[in-house]
Amino acid sequence: MNFARIMRHLLTGQLAIRRRFPAASLTVIEQAIKQSEMTHGGEICFAVEAALNTASLLRNQTARERAIEVFSQQRIWDTEYNNGVLIYLLLADRDVEIIGDRGIHSKISSKEWEDICRAMESAFRQQQFEAGVIEGINTVSSYLRKYFPPGPENARNELADKPVVLY
């Protein structure tokens, strides 16, 4: 059991999200997702969570494991072309995880997903939270444009564009 991690999670509350992502930033991120999805046939969801609950911490749940749960809970796997992508940020661990549905995941290497995560984390270390998320959305979008170009068959917006703030 990692005592420092538990303390970090217990001390990171919802105020941490509001400080880093005020309402105006969440609106900018929503618009970036909306604009992005006009250029490809994929679906992007951004979710941010301040900290894990105590039970998850005691199970030593990783940010990756939590991101997979969120991917399922938000039904990102439920897109017609299996091309949904979750960008998940766990603030207490300062960790970004990207989960792509099987339609896009099979085309992108783990290293490419990891590179996007590390670039976002680098921006966050410089306190550039909104810019880091926008950068991540733009990079994910470049892959979605390559493998899922826009067309009348995939013009429907299947997932909400509004960022998900988890409590």
Side-chain angles (χ1 to χ4, degrees):
M1 197 174 322
N2 184 333
F3 183 72
R5 181 176 189 236
I6 291 171
M7 289 307 297
R8 200 171 52 246
H9 279 259
L10 292 175
L11 296 173
T12 304
Q14 294 304 310
L15 183 58
I17 292 175
R18 288 193 296 275
R19 283 185 183 148
R20 289 160 179 88
F21 297 101
S25 287
L26 293 174
T27 299
V28 169
I29 292 167
E30 179 180 358
Q31 291 303 315
I33 292 170
K34 197 175 300 248
Q35 292 296 317
S36 156
E37 289 181 356
M38 295 171 82
T39 68
H40 56 74
E43 294 290 328
I44 296 175
C45 176
F46 171 68
V48 59
E49 188 163 31
L52 297 176
N53 63 37
T54 305
S56 297
L57 287 170
L58 293 176
R59 285 194 326 266
N60 202 29
Q61 184 178 39
T62 65
R64 180 86 182 159
E65 291 165 343
R66 178 62 179 143
I68 292 168
E69 279 183 6
V70 172
F71 183 86
S72 176
Q73 290 168 351
Q74 297 297 314
R75 300 182 60 91
I76 298 167
W77 51 265
D78 203 19
T79 61
E80 185 174 355
Y81 296 100
N82 302 309
N83 57 5
V85 176
L86 170 67
I87 301 172
Y88 171 79
L89 170 59
L90 181 56
L91 283 176
D93 283 348
R94 301 171 200 96
D95 195 350
V96 176
E97 295 291 338
I98 297 178
I99 309 293
D101 202 355
R102 63 190 171 273
I104 186 68
H105 182 73
S106 65
K107 298 172 185 332
I108 310 297
S109 73
S110 294
K111 183 187 178 329
E112 290 168 306
W113 289 128
E114 192 66 25
D115 287 347
I116 299 169
C117 294
R118 297 305 74 88
M120 291 177 69
E121 290 167 0
S122 176
F124 298 160
R125 280 191 296 278
Q126 298 170 22
Q127 302 301 307
Q128 298 176 352
F129 291 93
E130 180 183 309
V133 173
I134 300 297
E135 178 183 345
I137 290 167
N138 290 339
T139 307
V140 167
S141 294
S142 68
Y143 288 115
L144 287 168
R145 274 191 298 279
K146 180 177 180 181
Y147 297 109
F148 295 95
E153 72 281 354
N154 57 23
R156 185 169 64 98
N157 191 8
E158 298 179 75
L159 298 175
D161 299 329
K162 185 176 182 170
V164 177
V165 178
L166 300 162
Y167 298 99

